[in-house]
Amino acid sequence: MSLDPRKKPARPGGKRPVQGGGGHVARKRFGQNFLVDHGVIDEIVRAIAPRPGESLVEIGPGLGALTNPVVERSERLTVVELDRDLAARLRKRSELNVIESDVLKVDFAQLATDAGQKLRIIGNLPYNISSPILFHLLPIADHVVDQHFMLQKEVVDRMVASPGNKDYSRLSVMLQWRYDMENVVAVPPESFDPPPKVDSAVVRMVPLPNPPQVDLAVFEKMVAVAFSQRRKILRHTLGAWITEHGLSTDFDLQRRAEEVPVAEYVALAAMVKPG
Ligand code: SAM
């Protein structure tokens, strides 16, 4: 313990600097849980396999747990960080292009255009806004090679679930329409400082080369309606939507939302003429 009277001792359970974080205290409102387990960090970096010349973008670099080993391999890296103090630290490094911003305001299509190639996007995401980030990136999937994201395990389970599985949900349909997805690394709470209350996992998302054509706004609305009462048969929910859009279809409404394959949802949404 320090004998320096100017230094307050850390309160057990109170705010204390992050392990190896040069005095940084984690900010809960920014979803800050920093990776500190080097075995897990190596496993994630191996799954990403960064290479020089690629246009890599990291969301939420924080104290650099992933940033450092990734930029060692890729030589250049663009990072998007909202925390002003962390962004200021990162700006001191010439190999990083630092965008100090809310990721939900970043134009990733423009980043890809500026880079002259598709992006590889990575990040240990702030869990409080992980779904909004996934939906922010969905319309620009054409500009992406792949995405590797750390998320709550429960969210990854929903993303990759098949029809009939209890985790098959709105998120499964909305993302499986556009990406091939795989759970690649399991990460326990003790790999972070401070540890989150939930298990985590890294998902790899690769945009499908020829996704079926559908109006994203129509599709999103329709899937939300279908899953609004997932225990009931679809006659009560999607039935009304089909009538409202004047569609003539033999879509089986005696099923529940969790039983319908993604392709059938896409085909139904594609029947709506762009208005
Ligand atoms: N990558 C680091 C690691 O693995 O240790 C930090 C991950 S921490 C879970 C999430 C990071 O995202 C933090 O650095 C946080 O400041 C940043 N962040 C939170 N909200 C953000 C937002 N809206 N836009 C950009 N970055 C954000």
Side-chain angles (χ1 to χ4, degrees):
M1 186 193 279
S2 168
L3 296 176
D4 183 342
R6 290 166 301 181
K7 279 193 185 158
K8 283 191 189 159
R11 280 185 290 121
K15 286 187 178 169
R16 55 162 187 80
V18 176
Q19 216 175 294
H24 181 78
V25 174
R27 296 189 164 116
K28 209 172 167 184
R29 70 178 185 286
F30 290 155
Q32 292 182 349
N33 299 95
F34 297 99
L35 268 170
V36 290
D37 179 328
H38 289 282
V40 164
I41 293 169
D42 282 353
E43 219 181 317
I44 298 171
V45 174
R46 270 203 306 276
I48 300 170
R51 299 166 71 96
E54 294 175 338
S55 284
L56 279 134
V57 182
E58 183 182 7
I59 299 171
L63 293 162
L66 292 174
T67 319
N68 299 336
V70 166
V71 77
E72 235 171 61
R73 289 160 178 78
S74 66
E75 295 168 7
R76 291 279 307 156
L77 175 62
T78 293
V79 296
V80 181
E81 177 57 65
L82 180 60
D83 184 316
R84 201 168 39 167
D85 299 340
L86 295 178
R89 288 187 191 205
L90 294 158
R91 264 198 294 272
K92 295 190 179 129
R93 302 175 50 179
S94 60
E95 70 277 32
L96 300 179
N97 168 33
V98 181
I99 302 175
E100 183 184 329
S101 166
D102 176 355
V103 62
L104 299 177
K105 296 193 178 135
V106 172
D107 182 346
F108 283 84
Q110 188 61 49
L111 285 185
T113 305
D114 294 347
Q117 63 176 340
K118 292 188 183 188
L119 307 176
R120 301 195 67 202
I121 310 178
I122 63 168
N124 170 13
L125 300 185
Y127 291 173
N128 49 342
I129 54 163
S130 57
S131 288
I133 295 174
L134 295 172
F135 281 94
H136 181 61
L137 295 173
L138 185 55
I140 59 96
D142 275 349
H143 298 280
V144 169
V145 175
D146 57 18
Q147 300 176 167
H148 288 83
F149 292 142
M150 172 98 73
L151 297 158
Q152 290 184 45
K153 178 182 176 295
E154 176 222 316
V155 174
V156 174
D157 288 345
R158 283 197 275 133
M159 290 164 75
V160 303
S162 317
N165 185 295
K166 67 171 175 36
D167 295 317
Y168 188 66
S169 59
R170 177 177 162 242
L171 198 61
S172 329
V173 178
M174 288 307 300
L175 297 179
Q176 287 175 26
W177 155 69
R178 194 63 189 82
Y179 303 95
D180 191 18
M181 292 179 291
E182 190 188 352
N183 178 341
V184 286
V185 186
V187 187
E190 55 275 16
S191 302
F192 303 84
D193 186 18
K197 291 196 176 75
V198 291
D199 282 330
S200 301
V202 176
V203 66
R204 175 182 293 137
M205 308 172 69
V206 181
L208 297 172
N210 297 306
Q213 290 304 306
V214 68
D215 180 319
L216 190 52
V218 170
F219 187 50
E220 200 169 353
K221 186 81 206 301
M222 185 203 73
V223 175
V225 168
F227 281 92
S228 59
Q229 299 183 55
R230 54 180 294 140
R231 297 271 129 223
K232 294 208 174 140
I233 59 164
L234 287 166
R235 177 166 306 287
H236 304 289
T237 50
L238 207 48
W241 183 90
I242 288 172
T243 309
E244 196 183 307
H245 286 83
L247 303 182
S248 158
T249 168
D250 56 6
F251 188 96
D252 179 4
L253 290 166
Q254 289 305 114
R255 295 172 292 177
R256 291 189 293 191
E258 62 200 28
E259 295 171 313
V260 179
V262 175
E264 283 197 49
Y265 282 121
V266 175
L268 187 60
M271 291 177 77
V272 177
K273 299 275 163 291

